[in-house]
Amino acid sequence: MGEHVRVAVIGSGFGGLGAAVRLRREGITDFVVLERAGAVGGTWRDNSYPGCACDVPSHLYSFSFAPNPDWPRTFSGQERIQEYLEHVADTFRLRPHIRLNSEVTQLRWDSEQLRWEIDVAGAAGGAFTADVVVSATGPLSDPKMPDIDGLDSFPGKVFHSAQWDHEYDLRGKRVAMIGTGASAIQIVPAIQKEVAQLTLFQRTPPWVMPRADRAISKAERWVHRQLPFTTQARRGLLWGIRELQVQAFTKRPDELGLVERIAKRNMHRSIKDPALRAKLTPDYRIGCKRILLSNAYYPALAQPNVDVVASGLSEIRGNTLVAADGSEAEVDAIVFGTGFHVTDMPIAQRVIGADGVSLAESWKGGMAALRGATATGFPNFMTIIGPNTGLGNSSMILMIESQLNYLADYMRQLDVLGGRVALDPRDTAVAGWNNRVQDRMKRTVWNTGGCNSWYLDENGVNTTVWPGTTTEFRQATRHVDVGEYQVLRPAAAAAPKSRGRKKKAEASAA
Ligand code: NAP
């Protein structure tokens, strides 16, 4: 067997780099970060499409332990976020741990040795073993392409928003944009001026709010550099405002009607044609899908070289795209802004747990994890941004940092227990947590708002979003309650009364 490490982290986006920083801060240096691509950054490395920026303000969408007084804009672009992540990797001396171009192809739990066997392809090729695995592959990492008849024989250019082909020149081309999510609404205004014709295939119109984006002045940045507490104060304010909004999303969706009025006014300002306005007006409660922010989307749609097809793409015949309503458009290139494999993340197929069952198989009826992190039958395996940890209105970095607290305490608990040991969440604990989450979910706008979104899995269950405040999640993940876990010891060291399910390793209650 190859190299053994205390912890293997998979992925080097915000989650993976954050885990690496946190492990070092806990005094753990025996770890690797396995990254399939050639650079750190995760989704912010991959999504380099024109116009890509974050719709959460930068002072909140960054690590609390790595504040950046020099954010250039309130909503910084992808390049600056990618630079920030590279900077984090350097500042916290993470580079020696990171193995780039190293893709995890399979993870198997070894019930005898109580550790994970990890097959890796690429630069760090071969095998690793690890006591603990932190899966930080992210929910927005594997692009989703719809299954469209005739796509394979389309003679023009095709790419996904997360795999932008910068070599391809869109100037003067007839381009189809498929989808109207957060990615598409940034791409449309960024390419509209240069293409000959842009046809937008809109299956569902989004709610689009104005975006309070502006440059952060030199003076502001100077103040942030000289007086670091001002950066923290700014962050605190941004966080507090969003924290106050949560109740409307989770308990009183009717209150969001007021927000719909602002979004409608935003549309009316740019879209003067009533027929186009009708096409663009959503028929579901704002917030049910992610609320999008843009000042440029509607003005771009009002331009003469843009056509909105209010129907999904259903078939391709040669160069002709056919929508579900029968309308047709002839194009040279198709950009798919069709999102990601979120509730069916491919990494889950590669993780084989204690019973020889994959995580994907175990989650077939719906993803569930104790405190968004650990799943029964997958000992010492933690997912960052796991089930029901997503947010509809605030910064995912807050949730990631809560999960890092949980990871840190998890490592401490393993040390306290001592010796070769693993923790496997009790199925009753996972079910209890999940039932509470799903119970709270019933009243939320994501479940009652009358839309279909990527927050829901194929069974219509919301397994992605956290139905509470970030403060509540912070509290729930502050400590690991060992009572929620089976403590696994090697067979020889186990107590006489062992549990039957594990064939080789035996479990003894904490
Ligand atoms: P997405 O929100 O999943 O949107 C996918 C879009 O593709 C939807 O509009 C969907 O329509 C549409 N679609 C799928 N199949 C189609 C078909 N056959 N014909 C027409 N349309 C079709 O994906 P995304 O825009 O990449 O965003 C994913 C998430 O990434 C966001 O929700 C956000 O969390 C994050 N993100 C953030 C930012 C930012 O911070 N600014 C930017 C980009 C992405 P339906 O609505 O009908 O399903």
Side-chain angles (χ1 to χ4, degrees), residues 5-8 19 22-23 26-28 30-31 131-134 380 382 404-418 421 423 480:
V5 288
R6 179 92 173 113
V7 186
R22 197 57 203 260
L23 289 171
E26 289 298 304
I28 298 167
D30 180 18
F31 69 90
D131 296 334
V132 174
V133 169
V134 177
N380 284 3
M382 189 174 292
L404 300 183
N405 290 342
Y406 196 70
L407 169 65
D409 199 47
Y410 193 100
M411 299 307 298
R412 278 182 229 127
Q413 295 301 334
L414 290 181
D415 282 347
V416 169
L417 289 163
V421 63
L423 295 174
V480 169

PDB file of all heavy atoms in Angstrom, residues 5-8 19 22-23 26-28 30-31 131-134 380 382 404-418 421 423 480:
ATOM      1  N   VAL A   5      -1.562   8.729   5.347  1.00  0.00           N
ATOM      2  CA  VAL A   5      -1.681  10.057   5.962  1.00  0.00           C
ATOM      3  C   VAL A   5      -2.788  10.029   7.009  1.00  0.00           C
ATOM      4  O   VAL A   5      -3.685   9.187   6.956  1.00  0.00           O
ATOM      5  CB  VAL A   5      -2.008  11.160   4.914  1.00  0.00           C
ATOM      6  CG1 VAL A   5      -0.820  11.474   4.029  1.00  0.00           C
ATOM      7  CG2 VAL A   5      -3.230  10.798   4.077  1.00  0.00           C
ATOM      8  N   ARG A   6      -2.703  10.965   7.928  1.00  0.00           N
ATOM      9  CA  ARG A   6      -3.757  11.081   8.938  1.00  0.00           C
ATOM     10  C   ARG A   6      -5.072  11.507   8.266  1.00  0.00           C
ATOM     11  O   ARG A   6      -6.124  10.958   8.530  1.00  0.00           O
ATOM     12  CB  ARG A   6      -3.330  12.128   9.971  1.00  0.00           C
ATOM     13  CG  ARG A   6      -4.333  12.375  11.070  1.00  0.00           C
ATOM     14  CD  ARG A   6      -4.066  11.496  12.261  1.00  0.00           C
ATOM     15  NE  ARG A   6      -4.910  11.816  13.397  1.00  0.00           N
ATOM     16  CZ  ARG A   6      -5.840  10.993  13.870  1.00  0.00           C
ATOM     17  NH1 ARG A   6      -6.048   9.811  13.317  1.00  0.00           N
ATOM     18  NH2 ARG A   6      -6.536  11.335  14.933  1.00  0.00           N
ATOM     19  N   VAL A   7      -4.979  12.508   7.387  1.00  0.00           N
ATOM     20  CA  VAL A   7      -6.187  13.019   6.729  1.00  0.00           C
ATOM     21  C   VAL A   7      -5.925  13.213   5.230  1.00  0.00           C
ATOM     22  O   VAL A   7      -4.890  13.760   4.849  1.00  0.00           O
ATOM     23  CB  VAL A   7      -6.628  14.385   7.320  1.00  0.00           C
ATOM     24  CG1 VAL A   7      -7.967  14.825   6.726  1.00  0.00           C
ATOM     25  CG2 VAL A   7      -6.710  14.347   8.839  1.00  0.00           C
ATOM     26  N   ALA A   8      -6.869  12.762   4.419  1.00  0.00           N
ATOM     27  CA  ALA A   8      -6.842  13.088   2.982  1.00  0.00           C
ATOM     28  C   ALA A   8      -8.025  14.001   2.698  1.00  0.00           C
ATOM     29  O   ALA A   8      -9.169  13.681   3.033  1.00  0.00           O
ATOM     30  CB  ALA A   8      -6.938  11.829   2.141  1.00  0.00           C
ATOM     31  N   ALA A  19     -10.307  23.447   4.888  1.00  0.00           N
ATOM     32  CA  ALA A  19     -10.022  22.270   5.726  1.00  0.00           C
ATOM     33  C   ALA A  19      -8.521  22.174   5.994  1.00  0.00           C
ATOM     34  O   ALA A  19      -8.086  21.887   7.117  1.00  0.00           O
ATOM     35  CB  ALA A  19     -10.535  21.005   5.040  1.00  0.00           C
ATOM     36  N   ARG A  22      -7.456  24.687   8.529  1.00  0.00           N
ATOM     37  CA  ARG A  22      -7.956  24.327   9.857  1.00  0.00           C
ATOM     38  C   ARG A  22      -7.154  23.169  10.447  1.00  0.00           C
ATOM     39  O   ARG A  22      -6.847  23.149  11.644  1.00  0.00           O
ATOM     40  CB  ARG A  22      -9.436  23.951   9.738  1.00  0.00           C
ATOM     41  CG  ARG A  22     -10.176  23.953  11.042  1.00  0.00           C
ATOM     42  CD  ARG A  22     -10.056  25.324  11.683  1.00  0.00           C
ATOM     43  NE  ARG A  22     -10.267  25.226  13.116  1.00  0.00           N
ATOM     44  CZ  ARG A  22     -11.415  25.524  13.719  1.00  0.00           C
ATOM     45  NH1 ARG A  22     -12.418  25.999  13.032  1.00  0.00           N
ATOM     46  NH2 ARG A  22     -11.531  25.395  15.022  1.00  0.00           N
ATOM     47  N   LEU A  23      -6.802  22.197   9.608  1.00  0.00           N
ATOM     48  CA  LEU A  23      -6.002  21.070  10.108  1.00  0.00           C
ATOM     49  C   LEU A  23      -4.662  21.571  10.618  1.00  0.00           C
ATOM     50  O   LEU A  23      -4.213  21.206  11.701  1.00  0.00           O
ATOM     51  CB  LEU A  23      -5.804  20.028   9.004  1.00  0.00           C
ATOM     52  CG  LEU A  23      -7.062  19.223   8.619  1.00  0.00           C
ATOM     53  CD1 LEU A  23      -6.813  18.393   7.369  1.00  0.00           C
ATOM     54  CD2 LEU A  23      -7.523  18.328   9.776  1.00  0.00           C
ATOM     55  N   GLU A  26      -4.889  23.110  13.868  1.00  0.00           N
ATOM     56  CA  GLU A  26      -5.071  22.111  14.930  1.00  0.00           C
ATOM     57  C   GLU A  26      -3.763  21.368  15.199  1.00  0.00           C
ATOM     58  O   GLU A  26      -3.739  20.411  15.975  1.00  0.00           O
ATOM     59  CB  GLU A  26      -6.153  21.104  14.526  1.00  0.00           C
ATOM     60  CG  GLU A  26      -7.554  21.666  14.537  1.00  0.00           C
ATOM     61  CD  GLU A  26      -8.019  22.129  15.914  1.00  0.00           C
ATOM     62  OE1 GLU A  26      -7.991  21.312  16.850  1.00  0.00           O
ATOM     63  OE2 GLU A  26      -8.376  23.311  16.052  1.00  0.00           O
ATOM     64  N   GLY A  27      -2.716  21.757  14.496  1.00  0.00           N
ATOM     65  CA  GLY A  27      -1.418  21.117  14.698  1.00  0.00           C
ATOM     66  C   GLY A  27      -1.254  19.845  13.888  1.00  0.00           C
ATOM     67  O   GLY A  27      -0.310  19.081  14.088  1.00  0.00           O
ATOM     68  N   ILE A  28      -2.179  19.604  12.969  1.00  0.00           N
ATOM     69  CA  ILE A  28      -2.089  18.395  12.131  1.00  0.00           C
ATOM     70  C   ILE A  28      -1.409  18.773  10.818  1.00  0.00           C
ATOM     71  O   ILE A  28      -1.890  19.631  10.072  1.00  0.00           O
ATOM     72  CB  ILE A  28      -3.507  17.818  11.862  1.00  0.00           C
ATOM     73  CG1 ILE A  28      -4.156  17.419  13.181  1.00  0.00           C
ATOM     74  CG2 ILE A  28      -3.443  16.633  10.898  1.00  0.00           C
ATOM     75  CD1 ILE A  28      -5.642  17.146  13.094  1.00  0.00           C
ATOM     76  N   ASP A  30       0.092  16.094   8.959  1.00  0.00           N
ATOM     77  CA  ASP A  30       0.174  14.848   8.196  1.00  0.00           C
ATOM     78  C   ASP A  30      -1.100  14.692   7.348  1.00  0.00           C
ATOM     79  O   ASP A  30      -1.986  13.901   7.668  1.00  0.00           O
ATOM     80  CB  ASP A  30       0.323  13.692   9.199  1.00  0.00           C
ATOM     81  CG  ASP A  30       0.424  12.359   8.507  1.00  0.00           C
ATOM     82  OD1 ASP A  30       0.714  12.350   7.307  1.00  0.00           O
ATOM     83  OD2 ASP A  30       0.194  11.326   9.178  1.00  0.00           O
ATOM     84  N   PHE A  31      -1.187  15.508   6.317  1.00  0.00           N
ATOM     85  CA  PHE A  31      -2.364  15.408   5.447  1.00  0.00           C
ATOM     86  C   PHE A  31      -2.011  15.791   4.008  1.00  0.00           C
ATOM     87  O   PHE A  31      -0.997  16.458   3.776  1.00  0.00           O
ATOM     88  CB  PHE A  31      -3.515  16.291   5.963  1.00  0.00           C
ATOM     89  CG  PHE A  31      -3.264  17.775   5.851  1.00  0.00           C
ATOM     90  CD1 PHE A  31      -3.632  18.471   4.712  1.00  0.00           C
ATOM     91  CD2 PHE A  31      -2.656  18.472   6.895  1.00  0.00           C
ATOM     92  CE1 PHE A  31      -3.403  19.844   4.606  1.00  0.00           C
ATOM     93  CE2 PHE A  31      -2.423  19.831   6.796  1.00  0.00           C
ATOM     94  CZ  PHE A  31      -2.793  20.530   5.642  1.00  0.00           C
ATOM     95  N   ASP A 131      -6.561   7.892   7.690  1.00  0.00           N
ATOM     96  CA  ASP A 131      -7.455   7.620   8.820  1.00  0.00           C
ATOM     97  C   ASP A 131      -8.788   8.315   8.615  1.00  0.00           C
ATOM     98  O   ASP A 131      -9.832   7.796   8.970  1.00  0.00           O
ATOM     99  CB  ASP A 131      -6.831   8.142  10.129  1.00  0.00           C
ATOM    100  CG  ASP A 131      -5.543   7.405  10.474  1.00  0.00           C
ATOM    101  OD1 ASP A 131      -5.401   6.247  10.037  1.00  0.00           O
ATOM    102  OD2 ASP A 131      -4.691   8.006  11.151  1.00  0.00           O
ATOM    103  N   VAL A 132      -8.709   9.523   8.088  1.00  0.00           N
ATOM    104  CA  VAL A 132      -9.907  10.348   7.929  1.00  0.00           C
ATOM    105  C   VAL A 132      -9.909  10.924   6.517  1.00  0.00           C
ATOM    106  O   VAL A 132      -8.859  11.327   6.010  1.00  0.00           O
ATOM    107  CB  VAL A 132      -9.901  11.507   8.968  1.00  0.00           C
ATOM    108  CG1 VAL A 132     -11.058  12.470   8.731  1.00  0.00           C
ATOM    109  CG2 VAL A 132      -9.932  10.968  10.397  1.00  0.00           C
ATOM    110  N   VAL A 133     -11.088  10.949   5.899  1.00  0.00           N
ATOM    111  CA  VAL A 133     -11.213  11.585   4.576  1.00  0.00           C
ATOM    112  C   VAL A 133     -12.181  12.757   4.690  1.00  0.00           C
ATOM    113  O   VAL A 133     -13.262  12.638   5.275  1.00  0.00           O
ATOM    114  CB  VAL A 133     -11.713  10.584   3.513  1.00  0.00           C
ATOM    115  CG1 VAL A 133     -12.097  11.308   2.226  1.00  0.00           C
ATOM    116  CG2 VAL A 133     -10.646   9.538   3.217  1.00  0.00           C
ATOM    117  N   VAL A 134     -11.754  13.882   4.153  1.00  0.00           N
ATOM    118  CA  VAL A 134     -12.622  15.057   4.083  1.00  0.00           C
ATOM    119  C   VAL A 134     -12.940  15.270   2.609  1.00  0.00           C
ATOM    120  O   VAL A 134     -12.051  15.584   1.812  1.00  0.00           O
ATOM    121  CB  VAL A 134     -11.930  16.309   4.664  1.00  0.00           C
ATOM    122  CG1 VAL A 134     -12.833  17.536   4.522  1.00  0.00           C
ATOM    123  CG2 VAL A 134     -11.550  16.087   6.121  1.00  0.00           C
ATOM    124  N   ASN A 380     -15.390   7.906   9.636  1.00  0.00           N
ATOM    125  CA  ASN A 380     -14.294   8.871   9.446  1.00  0.00           C
ATOM    126  C   ASN A 380     -14.301   9.490   8.038  1.00  0.00           C
ATOM    127  O   ASN A 380     -13.247   9.708   7.437  1.00  0.00           O
ATOM    128  CB  ASN A 380     -12.928   8.227   9.713  1.00  0.00           C
ATOM    129  CG  ASN A 380     -12.673   8.053  11.198  1.00  0.00           C
ATOM    130  OD1 ASN A 380     -13.527   8.352  12.027  1.00  0.00           O
ATOM    131  ND2 ASN A 380     -11.488   7.567  11.551  1.00  0.00           N
ATOM    132  N   MET A 382     -16.050  12.687   6.048  1.00  0.00           N
ATOM    133  CA  MET A 382     -16.833  13.904   6.277  1.00  0.00           C
ATOM    134  C   MET A 382     -16.972  14.691   4.978  1.00  0.00           C
ATOM    135  O   MET A 382     -16.004  14.844   4.244  1.00  0.00           O
ATOM    136  CB  MET A 382     -16.089  14.749   7.313  1.00  0.00           C
ATOM    137  CG  MET A 382     -16.887  15.912   7.789  1.00  0.00           C
ATOM    138  SD  MET A 382     -16.041  16.753   9.127  1.00  0.00           S
ATOM    139  CE  MET A 382     -16.120  15.533  10.415  1.00  0.00           C
ATOM    140  N   LEU A 404     -15.882  23.332   9.347  1.00  0.00           N
ATOM    141  CA  LEU A 404     -14.475  23.192   9.731  1.00  0.00           C
ATOM    142  C   LEU A 404     -14.338  23.114  11.254  1.00  0.00           C
ATOM    143  O   LEU A 404     -13.464  22.418  11.770  1.00  0.00           O
ATOM    144  CB  LEU A 404     -13.635  24.346   9.172  1.00  0.00           C
ATOM    145  CG  LEU A 404     -13.634  24.475   7.641  1.00  0.00           C
ATOM    146  CD1 LEU A 404     -12.719  25.601   7.199  1.00  0.00           C
ATOM    147  CD2 LEU A 404     -13.229  23.171   6.969  1.00  0.00           C
ATOM    148  N   ASN A 405     -15.212  23.836  11.969  1.00  0.00           N
ATOM    149  CA  ASN A 405     -15.221  23.701  13.437  1.00  0.00           C
ATOM    150  C   ASN A 405     -15.524  22.251  13.815  1.00  0.00           C
ATOM    151  O   ASN A 405     -14.929  21.685  14.722  1.00  0.00           O
ATOM    152  CB  ASN A 405     -16.298  24.587  14.067  1.00  0.00           C
ATOM    153  CG  ASN A 405     -15.969  26.058  13.970  1.00  0.00           C
ATOM    154  OD1 ASN A 405     -14.812  26.432  13.739  1.00  0.00           O
ATOM    155  ND2 ASN A 405     -16.967  26.913  14.123  1.00  0.00           N
ATOM    156  N   TYR A 406     -16.507  21.689  13.089  1.00  0.00           N
ATOM    157  CA  TYR A 406     -16.921  20.306  13.368  1.00  0.00           C
ATOM    158  C   TYR A 406     -15.760  19.346  13.073  1.00  0.00           C
ATOM    159  O   TYR A 406     -15.457  18.446  13.857  1.00  0.00           O
ATOM    160  CB  TYR A 406     -18.143  19.969  12.516  1.00  0.00           C
ATOM    161  CG  TYR A 406     -18.912  18.744  12.964  1.00  0.00           C
ATOM    162  CD1 TYR A 406     -19.655  18.748  14.143  1.00  0.00           C
ATOM    163  CD2 TYR A 406     -18.901  17.580  12.202  1.00  0.00           C
ATOM    164  CE1 TYR A 406     -20.375  17.627  14.552  1.00  0.00           C
ATOM    165  CE2 TYR A 406     -19.617  16.453  12.601  1.00  0.00           C
ATOM    166  CZ  TYR A 406     -20.353  16.482  13.767  1.00  0.00           C
ATOM    167  OH  TYR A 406     -21.058  15.368  14.168  1.00  0.00           O
ATOM    168  N   LEU A 407     -15.092  19.594  11.948  1.00  0.00           N
ATOM    169  CA  LEU A 407     -13.937  18.766  11.585  1.00  0.00           C
ATOM    170  C   LEU A 407     -12.855  18.841  12.671  1.00  0.00           C
ATOM    171  O   LEU A 407     -12.296  17.817  13.086  1.00  0.00           O
ATOM    172  CB  LEU A 407     -13.366  19.227  10.235  1.00  0.00           C
ATOM    173  CG  LEU A 407     -12.005  18.647   9.841  1.00  0.00           C
ATOM    174  CD1 LEU A 407     -12.083  17.140   9.615  1.00  0.00           C
ATOM    175  CD2 LEU A 407     -11.470  19.328   8.567  1.00  0.00           C
ATOM    176  N   ALA A 408     -12.571  20.066  13.131  1.00  0.00           N
ATOM    177  CA  ALA A 408     -11.519  20.243  14.138  1.00  0.00           C
ATOM    178  C   ALA A 408     -11.874  19.473  15.409  1.00  0.00           C
ATOM    179  O   ALA A 408     -11.028  18.773  15.988  1.00  0.00           O
ATOM    180  CB  ALA A 408     -11.339  21.732  14.444  1.00  0.00           C
ATOM    181  N   ASP A 409     -13.135  19.566  15.829  1.00  0.00           N
ATOM    182  CA  ASP A 409     -13.518  18.866  17.046  1.00  0.00           C
ATOM    183  C   ASP A 409     -13.526  17.348  16.821  1.00  0.00           C
ATOM    184  O   ASP A 409     -13.205  16.579  17.727  1.00  0.00           O
ATOM    185  CB  ASP A 409     -14.889  19.342  17.552  1.00  0.00           C
ATOM    186  CG  ASP A 409     -15.077  18.994  19.020  1.00  0.00           C
ATOM    187  OD1 ASP A 409     -14.150  19.248  19.816  1.00  0.00           O
ATOM    188  OD2 ASP A 409     -16.121  18.414  19.378  1.00  0.00           O
ATOM    189  N   TYR A 410     -13.874  16.947  15.621  1.00  0.00           N
ATOM    190  CA  TYR A 410     -13.870  15.519  15.266  1.00  0.00           C
ATOM    191  C   TYR A 410     -12.450  14.967  15.457  1.00  0.00           C
ATOM    192  O   TYR A 410     -12.252  13.912  16.066  1.00  0.00           O
ATOM    193  CB  TYR A 410     -14.302  15.387  13.807  1.00  0.00           C
ATOM    194  CG  TYR A 410     -14.657  13.989  13.352  1.00  0.00           C
ATOM    195  CD1 TYR A 410     -15.983  13.578  13.257  1.00  0.00           C
ATOM    196  CD2 TYR A 410     -13.667  13.072  12.984  1.00  0.00           C
ATOM    197  CE1 TYR A 410     -16.321  12.306  12.811  1.00  0.00           C
ATOM    198  CE2 TYR A 410     -13.994  11.802  12.554  1.00  0.00           C
ATOM    199  CZ  TYR A 410     -15.318  11.431  12.461  1.00  0.00           C
ATOM    200  OH  TYR A 410     -15.643  10.163  12.032  1.00  0.00           O
ATOM    201  N   MET A 411     -11.478  15.703  14.959  1.00  0.00           N
ATOM    202  CA  MET A 411     -10.085  15.248  15.086  1.00  0.00           C
ATOM    203  C   MET A 411      -9.670  15.209  16.558  1.00  0.00           C
ATOM    204  O   MET A 411      -8.971  14.289  16.987  1.00  0.00           O
ATOM    205  CB  MET A 411      -9.139  16.178  14.298  1.00  0.00           C
ATOM    206  CG  MET A 411      -9.396  16.254  12.803  1.00  0.00           C
ATOM    207  SD  MET A 411      -9.457  14.652  11.966  1.00  0.00           S
ATOM    208  CE  MET A 411      -7.816  14.001  12.249  1.00  0.00           C
ATOM    209  N   ARG A 412     -10.143  16.202  17.328  1.00  0.00           N
ATOM    210  CA  ARG A 412      -9.821  16.224  18.764  1.00  0.00           C
ATOM    211  C   ARG A 412     -10.428  15.010  19.448  1.00  0.00           C
ATOM    212  O   ARG A 412      -9.799  14.365  20.280  1.00  0.00           O
ATOM    213  CB  ARG A 412     -10.352  17.499  19.413  1.00  0.00           C
ATOM    214  CG  ARG A 412      -9.439  18.686  19.230  1.00  0.00           C
ATOM    215  CD  ARG A 412     -10.021  19.912  19.947  1.00  0.00           C
ATOM    216  NE  ARG A 412     -10.010  21.031  19.021  1.00  0.00           N
ATOM    217  CZ  ARG A 412     -11.041  21.786  18.703  1.00  0.00           C
ATOM    218  NH1 ARG A 412     -12.219  21.582  19.252  1.00  0.00           N
ATOM    219  NH2 ARG A 412     -10.920  22.768  17.842  1.00  0.00           N
ATOM    220  N   GLN A 413     -11.685  14.697  19.094  1.00  0.00           N
ATOM    221  CA  GLN A 413     -12.361  13.561  19.730  1.00  0.00           C
ATOM    222  C   GLN A 413     -11.639  12.251  19.410  1.00  0.00           C
ATOM    223  O   GLN A 413     -11.522  11.380  20.271  1.00  0.00           O
ATOM    224  CB  GLN A 413     -13.833  13.467  19.282  1.00  0.00           C
ATOM    225  CG  GLN A 413     -14.694  14.633  19.715  1.00  0.00           C
ATOM    226  CD  GLN A 413     -14.741  14.805  21.226  1.00  0.00           C
ATOM    227  OE1 GLN A 413     -14.550  13.857  21.987  1.00  0.00           O
ATOM    228  NE2 GLN A 413     -14.948  16.020  21.672  1.00  0.00           N
ATOM    229  N   LEU A 414     -11.156  12.128  18.194  1.00  0.00           N
ATOM    230  CA  LEU A 414     -10.407  10.909  17.851  1.00  0.00           C
ATOM    231  C   LEU A 414      -9.165  10.805  18.727  1.00  0.00           C
ATOM    232  O   LEU A 414      -8.808   9.724  19.205  1.00  0.00           O
ATOM    233  CB  LEU A 414     -10.010  10.908  16.369  1.00  0.00           C
ATOM    234  CG  LEU A 414     -11.127  10.720  15.346  1.00  0.00           C
ATOM    235  CD1 LEU A 414     -10.557  10.727  13.925  1.00  0.00           C
ATOM    236  CD2 LEU A 414     -11.900   9.427  15.574  1.00  0.00           C
ATOM    237  N   ASP A 415      -8.505  11.943  18.951  1.00  0.00           N
ATOM    238  CA  ASP A 415      -7.310  11.950  19.813  1.00  0.00           C
ATOM    239  C   ASP A 415      -7.666  11.579  21.247  1.00  0.00           C
ATOM    240  O   ASP A 415      -6.946  10.839  21.906  1.00  0.00           O
ATOM    241  CB  ASP A 415      -6.645  13.336  19.794  1.00  0.00           C
ATOM    242  CG  ASP A 415      -5.832  13.538  18.529  1.00  0.00           C
ATOM    243  OD1 ASP A 415      -5.592  12.534  17.820  1.00  0.00           O
ATOM    244  OD2 ASP A 415      -5.468  14.695  18.241  1.00  0.00           O
ATOM    245  N   VAL A 416      -8.781  12.134  21.736  1.00  0.00           N
ATOM    246  CA  VAL A 416      -9.196  11.845  23.111  1.00  0.00           C
ATOM    247  C   VAL A 416      -9.483  10.349  23.263  1.00  0.00           C
ATOM    248  O   VAL A 416      -9.081   9.712  24.239  1.00  0.00           O
ATOM    249  CB  VAL A 416     -10.459  12.678  23.485  1.00  0.00           C
ATOM    250  CG1 VAL A 416     -11.066  12.205  24.791  1.00  0.00           C
ATOM    251  CG2 VAL A 416     -10.100  14.153  23.567  1.00  0.00           C
ATOM    252  N   LEU A 417     -10.149   9.772  22.272  1.00  0.00           N
ATOM    253  CA  LEU A 417     -10.473   8.336  22.345  1.00  0.00           C
ATOM    254  C   LEU A 417      -9.187   7.505  22.281  1.00  0.00           C
ATOM    255  O   LEU A 417      -9.078   6.471  22.930  1.00  0.00           O
ATOM    256  CB  LEU A 417     -11.422   7.955  21.201  1.00  0.00           C
ATOM    257  CG  LEU A 417     -12.847   8.501  21.359  1.00  0.00           C
ATOM    258  CD1 LEU A 417     -13.599   8.458  20.032  1.00  0.00           C
ATOM    259  CD2 LEU A 417     -13.612   7.727  22.420  1.00  0.00           C
ATOM    260  N   GLY A 418      -8.246   7.986  21.476  1.00  0.00           N
ATOM    261  CA  GLY A 418      -6.917   7.386  21.442  1.00  0.00           C
ATOM    262  C   GLY A 418      -6.852   6.060  20.696  1.00  0.00           C
ATOM    263  O   GLY A 418      -7.849   5.376  20.505  1.00  0.00           O
ATOM    264  N   VAL A 421      -8.912   4.210  15.975  1.00  0.00           N
ATOM    265  CA  VAL A 421     -10.324   4.402  16.278  1.00  0.00           C
ATOM    266  C   VAL A 421     -11.019   5.115  15.112  1.00  0.00           C
ATOM    267  O   VAL A 421     -10.387   5.881  14.387  1.00  0.00           O
ATOM    268  CB  VAL A 421     -10.478   5.207  17.608  1.00  0.00           C
ATOM    269  CG1 VAL A 421      -9.880   6.601  17.475  1.00  0.00           C
ATOM    270  CG2 VAL A 421     -11.910   5.279  18.076  1.00  0.00           C
ATOM    271  N   LEU A 423     -15.096   6.777  13.928  1.00  0.00           N
ATOM    272  CA  LEU A 423     -16.457   7.122  14.344  1.00  0.00           C
ATOM    273  C   LEU A 423     -17.415   6.905  13.167  1.00  0.00           C
ATOM    274  O   LEU A 423     -17.148   7.361  12.053  1.00  0.00           O
ATOM    275  CB  LEU A 423     -16.521   8.595  14.779  1.00  0.00           C
ATOM    276  CG  LEU A 423     -15.706   8.965  16.017  1.00  0.00           C
ATOM    277  CD1 LEU A 423     -15.735  10.477  16.242  1.00  0.00           C
ATOM    278  CD2 LEU A 423     -16.228   8.239  17.250  1.00  0.00           C
ATOM    279  N   VAL A 480     -18.549  17.908  18.347  1.00  0.00           N
ATOM    280  CA  VAL A 480     -18.999  16.573  17.954  1.00  0.00           C
ATOM    281  C   VAL A 480     -19.532  15.896  19.215  1.00  0.00           C
ATOM    282  O   VAL A 480     -18.848  15.854  20.241  1.00  0.00           O
ATOM    283  CB  VAL A 480     -17.821  15.761  17.375  1.00  0.00           C
ATOM    284  CG1 VAL A 480     -18.198  14.291  17.209  1.00  0.00           C
ATOM    285  CG2 VAL A 480     -17.381  16.368  16.050  1.00  0.00           C
TER     286      VAL A 480
END
